[in-house]
Amino acid sequence: MRARKAVRGRDAGAAGQDAGKRRFLGAVLDRVPLPLRGLRPRLVAAFVLVTMASALGTGALAFREARTGVLQQSQDSVIRQFRASVNAVAVYTSTTPDQSELQSAVNQVLGANQSQGWRVMATYGGLRAYAPSADFHRLSPELRRSVQTKRAAVFQRIDADGHPCLVVGMPVTYTAGEGEESRLSGMVMYLVVPQNTEEAYVRAMISGIERATLVALCLAVVLALLAASGVLRPVRALRRATRRMAEGHLDVRLAVNGSDELADLSRSFNETAAALEQSVAELRRLEAQARRFVADVSHELRTPLAAMSAVTDMLDEKTRHLDQETADALRFLSEGTGRLSGLVNDLMEISRFDAGAVELNLDEIDLTESVQRTLASRGWQGRVETRLPRPGVLRTRVDPVRLDVVMANLVGNALRHGAPPVRLTMDVREERADMAWAVIEVTDNGPGIAEEAMPHIFERFYKASTSRTRSESSGLGLAITAENVHLHGGRIRAANLPGGGAVFTVELPLHRDSAAAAADVAVGAR
């Protein structure tokens, strides 16, 4: 159990580290300017980085090999030439040279190689000879010890006053007889050679590598731009196509070129667009068929419902002469016929909205008088508290019949599903000097609207409570209300009051002449 807990702890720690890394990368990306987050800058940066790494790596390797080759060739040539000169002089030098013989040997070696810029030195015991200058201070102790014990040439590269030099130490050996091993004579010849030519070669190589790297970077940028253009061209076409599809042009298609991943993406997009176009066309066909069905059924029901309504109206007048059971049945039939007639009328209205056949019969009316007529015609004056501008102050162009439908649906909905007091207020809200809105609010003191029902409150056939599925409401009243408000260029919204109850707000645009009276409206409302 402890081991399992430890493993879980390590997993949690690793997960925390991964999350921290993701947050760090996210913070770094957030600091990157937006123009540098595109695909083109990233492709260019990737090409440049890869090219720089490749060019620098290849240049460094080539430089190291070329430098080693140049220095090795120069070193071998100098040692070979120095050995030949020393061997030529050693034949004429005694095994125990004095100062003059030692200096003569130095002069002969230097004279044979005057054009090389050599500095030659020789030692034998405590004797020293040099030409043209004494550079014994450039001989390191390690080099002196090594050349005293070895029979081969010993070399070392040093930096003399900022310039590279090759120092060679070569012991002079002699052989007592044929077939015998050579022995050290004790005489050592030293050579100091400046390597300015080799240094110039190395600098030229560095300059060439720098120029080649710069050219490679320029080519990388050009290639990156070409590659980005090749990649971004179908991506831009895909972006344009998706935007056109979002605008409703489902017949848009992409040209498929090649057989790479982008071509597969274009082909998949075309297949998806074709399937979507087919599905949407089928849905539109079914929707149009459903609309025609609703319109046809509603139209066909109007004639028999009119006859039924006339019969029920006639029978309603005779219910007082019938027994109680028959009278109750006739009243039930009359109420059902009335609800069915209202439903058919609502369905006809919805069909006209869907067909785009609704026309506004605009007229300049007084909003206060229109609202008061709506309440009076339905006998709601005593059941609704009003706060309205005084008559004659607020006038605008609306469709009186459709405004009556809007107000009747909102007030009736509050009276039917809310609780008293139901209030109706009207005010003006200015947005600009030439733009104002008539704001009409209907509030109640009921339980309000459930939060899950709020997004669907203006949908067709939606009922906020399952207990209302058998009620007289058809679920079309608020949908028709919203359609009528939108026809006037207005806005409608529903919300819950903080203290309980629902509020429906209708905003109707006021024209320029009506907006000029907005100040008077506020005074009249008081």
Side-chain angles (χ1 to χ4, degrees):
M1 181 63 71
R2 292 180 179 176
R4 190 174 299 171
K5 289 182 178 179
V7 171
R8 290 178 180 174
R10 288 195 296 271
D11 293 342
Q17 292 179 357
D18 294 339
K21 291 179 180 179
R22 287 193 294 269
R23 286 194 298 270
F24 173 75
L25 292 175
V28 171
L29 290 177
D30 290 339
R31 294 178 178 271
V32 177
L34 287 176
L36 299 181
R37 298 183 190 177
L39 185 58
R40 183 190 297 271
R42 283 186 287 175
L43 282 176
V44 173
F47 269 79
V48 169
L49 289 177
V50 171
T51 304
M52 284 184 63
S54 302
L56 292 178
T58 304
L61 182 62
F63 169 74
R64 187 185 67 178
E65 296 297 328
R67 179 177 181 275
T68 302
V70 169
L71 295 179
Q72 186 68 38
Q73 182 180 3
S74 173
Q75 167 191 309
D76 294 344
S77 176
V78 168
I79 292 176
R80 187 167 49 251
Q81 188 174 355
F82 186 49
R83 179 182 289 113
S85 300
V86 171
N87 289 337
V89 171
V91 176
Y92 303 102
T93 305
S94 63
T95 57
T96 56
D98 54 13
Q99 181 67 36
S100 60
E101 290 180 329
L102 198 62
Q103 186 64 45
S104 176
V106 168
N107 292 336
Q108 291 180 20
V109 171
L110 183 62
N113 304 275
Q114 287 184 353
S115 62
Q116 306 296 325
W118 287 9
R119 294 184 177 85
V120 183
M121 298 170 289
T123 62
Y124 179 76
L127 301 178
R128 291 187 177 186
Y130 54 87
S133 60
D135 287 341
F136 289 100
H137 62 282
R138 305 191 187 281
L139 306 179
S140 64
E142 293 80 5
L143 179 67
R144 293 184 179 185
R145 286 194 299 269
S146 180
V147 79
Q148 292 291 340
T149 58
K150 293 182 179 180
R151 293 178 175 83
V154 179
F155 65 90
Q156 185 180 35
R157 294 190 183 92
I158 63 172
D159 187 7
D161 301 329
H163 298 284
C165 293
L166 176 64
V167 179
V168 182
M170 184 171 295
V172 177
T173 60
Y174 64 92
T175 304
E178 186 177 354
E180 295 184 5
E181 185 180 0
S182 60
R183 291 181 293 177
L184 297 174
S185 65
M187 178 180 173
V188 180
M189 302 289 289
Y190 294 99
L191 172 65
V192 178
V193 183
Q195 292 191 308
N196 296 328
T197 303
E198 290 77 6
E199 182 182 11
Y201 287 158
V202 171
R203 290 178 179 176
M205 283 190 295
I206 294 175
S207 178
I209 292 173
E210 290 177 349
R211 289 193 296 271
T213 302
L214 182 60
V215 172
L217 289 178
C218 295
L219 290 177
V221 172
V222 174
L223 292 176
L225 292 175
L226 293 176
S229 299
V231 172
L232 291 178
R233 191 179 299 111
V235 172
R236 292 195 184 100
L238 179 61
R239 181 180 61 185
R240 291 192 297 268
T242 52
R243 287 180 177 175
R244 285 183 54 82
M245 182 177 291
E247 294 171 355
H249 302 281
L250 300 180
D251 57 342
V252 64
R253 297 294 184 270
L254 293 176
V256 180
N257 299 318
S259 59
D260 55 3
E261 289 80 0
L262 293 174
D264 292 339
L265 179 61
S266 301
R267 194 176 297 107
S268 300
F269 174 84
N270 291 339
E271 294 173 356
T272 304
L276 181 60
E277 183 181 16
Q278 183 178 0
S279 301
V280 171
E282 181 66 17
L283 289 175
R284 288 175 177 172
R285 186 186 67 80
L286 294 175
E287 184 180 6
Q289 184 178 358
R291 289 175 179 174
R292 285 195 303 270
F293 174 77
V294 172
D296 293 343
V297 169
S298 302
H299 182 74
E300 293 297 328
L301 287 176
R302 292 187 70 181
T303 301
L305 278 175
M308 291 174 63
S309 298
V311 172
T312 54
D313 291 342
M314 181 181 64
L315 292 176
D316 286 340
E317 297 177 356
K318 299 181 180 181
T319 53
R320 61 180 178 273
H321 303 295
L322 301 175
D323 58 276
Q324 186 64 35
E325 185 177 352
T326 305
D328 292 340
L330 287 176
R331 279 193 297 270
F332 181 75
L333 179 61
S334 178
E335 292 174 359
T337 303
R339 287 197 296 270
L340 183 58
S341 179
L343 176 60
V344 170
N345 290 332
D346 289 343
L347 289 175
M348 290 293 294
E349 186 74 358
I350 288 292
S351 300
R352 284 192 290 269
F353 282 127
D354 292 339
V358 177
E359 294 182 359
L360 291 177
N361 298 315
L362 298 177
D363 190 12
E364 186 172 345
I365 64 172
D366 183 88
L367 293 182
T368 300
E369 292 180 352
S370 176
V371 171
Q372 289 175 345
R373 281 194 302 270
T374 299
L375 299 179
S377 64
R378 291 164 177 83
W380 291 341
Q381 301 95 322
R383 302 176 59 187
V384 179
E385 299 178 4
T386 60
R387 187 174 66 87
L388 305 173
R390 66 176 181 267
V393 173
L394 183 55
R395 301 180 62 85
T396 187
R397 290 178 59 81
V398 295
D399 188 325
V401 176
R402 297 194 177 278
L403 180 61
D404 177 75
V405 172
V406 170
M407 300 312 303
N409 282 339
L410 293 181
V411 176
N413 187 72
L415 292 173
R416 187 165 50 249
H417 304 294
V422 174
R423 299 182 179 88
L424 190 153
T425 62
M426 185 185 301
D427 204 346
V428 171
R429 179 170 57 83
E430 292 189 66
E431 285 190 356
R432 301 188 304 271
D434 58 343
M435 186 63 186
W437 296 83
V439 181
I440 305 172
E441 288 187 351
V442 178
T443 62
D444 62 71
N445 199 33
I449 305 171
E451 292 297 330
E452 61 271 13
M454 194 68 72
H456 313 285
I457 199 67
F458 295 107
E459 293 180 1
R460 300 174 183 179
F461 297 104
Y462 182 79
K463 296 183 180 182
S465 175
T466 56
S467 63
R468 294 171 47 199
T469 54
R470 294 182 179 270
S471 67
E472 63 181 13
S473 174
S474 64
L476 292 175
L478 290 179
I480 294 175
T481 300
E483 293 286 353
N484 283 319
V485 171
H486 295 155
L487 279 177
H488 287 84
R491 301 180 292 223
I492 185 171
R493 61 181 180 273
N496 288 320
L497 295 173
V503 54
F504 286 84
T505 304
V506 174
E507 297 179 350
L508 297 175
L510 297 177
H511 298 285
R512 191 181 301 270
D513 52 350
S514 300
D520 296 334
V521 173
V523 175
R526 295 191 184 94

